Amino acid sequence: MADSKESQTSQILHSPSSEPPRLGVFNIDSRARDEALDFLESHRDEYGAALASDKAYIAQLKWKIDWRFIPFGFVVMAFNILDKVLLNYGNVMGLSSDLQLRGNDFTNASTSFYIASAVFAIFNAAVQNYHGLLAVRIISGAAETTLPAALMLLTAQWYTKSEQASRYSLWYLGTGLGQIIGGFASWAFQHVNKTASLAGWRIMFLTLGLCTFVFALVLFLLLPDTPMQARFLTDQEKVAIIKHVKVNQTGIEGKHFIPQQLIEAIFDVQIWIFFFTFMLGGTGSGAITIYSSTLLTHLGYSSKRSALLLIATGPMTIIGVLFIGYGVRYYGNRWAFTNAVLIIAVLGAALLAFPTGDQSTCGLAGILLADILIGQTPIIYQWLQANVAGHTKRAYSAAMLQVAFAIGSIIGPQTFQARDAPNYEPAKIAFMCFLAAEVVLIAILRIYYGWCNHHRDQRSQAATGDIADTTAFMGLTDKQNPAFRYVY
């Protein structure tokens, strides 16, 4: 075993990200070595290595892991979406008038959520004016922006690429639950007496903020960082699951920053395509999450009725997530299932922008159809993580997705300008165009991956059969590993 901190030279696959892959010599930093490889070498006597090829044993082990990991991810995503939709509902519950918001103040406060980082939604209950709301949205945004990226990296540690899509979808179903809870919560807290010492929207933020805080403590105590640190698994089970996921060739845990991986990631075409894809998706979801309730009230629905009607966005999200997740699980073709959902969302956005009948009915139908676009989010997370190897590069790519989503979520609400109220026609048309452009980028991504794999097939063979531990956990990036193939 090489313990040296110096770089080693290996015959590997390397090329600039924008060129066809070719075989060459490249320096591999030994610090990129995965912690999982050290664990396997220190547990060579464990029977788990042999059990990794026992399908019945692995199925039972995955079931055990599913019940520990997926419920946590599910609840995390429910709380993650709640603060976003609660501001949407709060706006029709008197938040704007109570805080004396004017012009684009609400829009600016909405987008500020994605600009920086910090703590909990509980502090929303204490704000007294626009400046307080702006500060709290910035604080809330930073705490929550890490959640999808963290779940993305954690899920990839426990499951193979073919297993990840359905698991991503299962924990992301929490988003649908959060939307349903948000609708019911808004409806319930609108019944708070207007003479109460605290406004209904303040009590709503306080109650759900406290629930988030309690769950965070439970999560901290019970969710392991890696399979190697999982106290609910025996050493034999840890070895078995590590052996099982090594087929990914993307690693499990690396504690060192590798500059060459960062440089490769910055110039990697696939990451930039995903960046702009997710940014466009973020503009759509940011707009629909923040302004759907406002749009419905302007279409003639009461605030209480709007809250109840928007409960249906939860099931729409769940349908989209399950359709893509299990479609990919059994049929592959990530690009096709993603675009199928996006096209439905484009049709919904078109119905919202260009109603063909009664405006209130078309508006509601358009919002519900457009909301299905949220179903693409978990597969985008999984798709990128399945195609990026190397710990530093994977961390960078996960962070870039969140940056892209944040930028999109800043742009989306900003298309709703006070001068365009109450119909917000420019925002609706922009929403439709953003989603249509995302469909095109997904198609480009599929072409790019097909091109990359074609050139790799001409120069080397894809990994087949049992992959050596050193190959799977040496910390190679996807560009450096000649046996790596992109999924699409």
Side-chain angles (χ1 to χ4, degrees), residues 15-21 267-269 448 451-452 479:
S15 68
S17 303
S18 59
E19 298 178 6
F267 293 99
D268 194 334
V269 171
Y448 175 72
W451 175 74
C452 286
K479 298 292 182 185

Side-chain angles (χ1 to χ4, degrees), residues 67-82:
W67 276 104
R68 172 56 68 101
F69 181 72
I70 291 176
F72 281 128
F74 180 89
V75 179
V76 163
M77 292 311 301
F79 281 121
N80 185 53
I81 193 66
L82 264 174

Side-chain angles (χ1 to χ4, degrees), residues 83 120-127 133 136-137 140 201-202 205:
D83 188 50
F120 303 108
I122 185 175
F123 296 114
N124 282 278
V127 299
L133 179 66
V136 168
R137 293 303 289 173
S140 299
W201 64 268
R202 293 183 187 273
F205 276 117

